[in-house]
Amino acid sequence: MASEQMVHMSQGQGETSYARNSSFQKAEQNRMKSLIEAVIADLCGSSSTLLHGKVVIADLGCSSGPNALALVSTAINAIHSQCLHLQQPPPEVCVLLNDLPDNDFNTVVKSLVTLRQSKDPVVLTGVIPGSFYERLFTSDSLHLVCASNSLQWLSKAPEDLTRNRIPAFDTDEHVRHERLPIVREAYAHQFREDFTLFLQLRAKELVSGGRMVISLVGTRSNVIASKFFLFPGIVAQILSVMVTEGVIDKEKFDSFYVPVHGPSGEEVREIIEEEGSFSIREMRVHDPTTEMNTALSTPRKFVNNLRALFEPIIVQHFGDIMDEFVRTAELHWSLDPDGSLQEERARTSRATLVVSLAKVS
């Protein structure tokens, strides 16, 4: 079962680190740019009385590496441009970056120092370690919250599966196919609980009229077009081969759950509307096929992307099996005897969901 402490990306600056293998996530952040700029135009508009000379921006799930400051930098640059256009002095800016305690905050802090030195309005920066499924900030203190490529990560594995010892991915294909609706529903239920809580918490922390821009990896519709959510499913396939080879124990494999759910746009919209704290200003659904194909285009890229995302979870659950995992993954990519990986890449309904929200006053 996953815990908060194990859900973090591979640290450092090495070949298999998240910092070196996050081009897909960078593309997602680029898709958020215009929505963040539109939010800043609203917040800093000539008729706005929301800021009172200061703006507090928080990025939740910032991770580390070159993407850690991308969203807040977009917001700061937009503040510069908007104030220049209106010929008014920029507000004081506070930038706060959040991720789980095991995140590589050493690299993040160095980046924040550089940000403060290069951006005149930034007068305060800080890191906030902790889960965004708990309170992080004081009430009515934030003006803008951003979260990119993080909300598909759940607070924990679905209890309906762990409590009843139902594997998320059975090595028997027939059993796996029969259980797929049960597994999918358990993950969807956990996502509903977590995302509802996330909205409730942020509603307390944002000022009246405050804004959020979020993106997450999801699916195009509620129809299950694929046998599994692509990347966690590929990891499970590789590990299942290692079970058949006797490298890892089947009982250990059956208790392995990746706490990730790719919701549909319909799921996200329904939860936001039911929770009621936010109105949806805009929702976009993007096709990430180009970036996904790039991430899987060679054995090295394929393995490095998997390791950047999942190595900490794999090692905590199974121990140091990464040499065998890499060997099996490379064979999985290069041989792919039944075409299953290529089939999933072609049939996946994976999508990037980008949503701009306003707190209901």
Side-chain angles (χ1 to χ4, degrees), residues 145-209:
V145 168
C146 300
S148 171
N149 197 55
S150 53
L151 284 167
Q152 70 269 11
W153 289 94
L154 305 173
S155 65
K156 58 185 176 182
E159 288 186 353
D160 289 348
L161 302 183
T162 57
R163 182 175 57 250
N164 297 305
R165 298 184 179 180
I166 300 173
F169 189 97
D170 200 283
T171 53
D172 185 295
E173 186 172 359
H174 177 71
V175 174
R176 184 169 67 246
H177 179 75
E178 287 189 336
R179 283 181 176 164
L180 181 59
I182 297 173
V183 172
R184 175 64 165 73
E185 178 57 34
Y187 272 89
H189 177 72
Q190 185 63 51
F191 175 78
R192 177 176 290 273
E193 284 191 357
D194 285 344
F195 189 44
T196 298
L197 177 61
F198 176 86
L199 295 171
Q200 292 171 344
L201 295 172
R202 304 295 81 81
K204 293 177 181 178
E205 297 165 347
L206 280 158
V207 300
S208 179

Side-chain angles (χ1 to χ4, degrees), residues 42 120 149 199 206 219 278 292 316:
D42 288 345
D120 288 340
N149 197 55
L199 295 171
L206 280 158
T219 55
F278 294 89
M292 185 168 60
Q316 181 158 334

Side-chain angles (χ1 to χ4, degrees), residues 6 16 34 41 48 51 60 71 85 90 102 116 151 187 231 241 260 283 290-291:
M6 64 193 294
T16 63
S34 62
S48 175
L51 299 186
L60 307 188
L71 300 182
H85 173 70
D102 283 344
R116 291 186 65 178
L151 284 167
Y187 272 89
F231 284 112
V241 172
V260 172
M283 178 182 287
T290 300
E291 294 85 4

Side-chain angles (χ1 to χ4, degrees), residues 42-44 47-54 143 207-211:
D42 288 345
L43 293 177
C44 298
S47 61
S48 175
T49 59
L50 189 60
L51 299 186
H52 302 294
K54 65 179 180 180
H143 297 92
V207 300
S208 179
R211 303 292 294 272

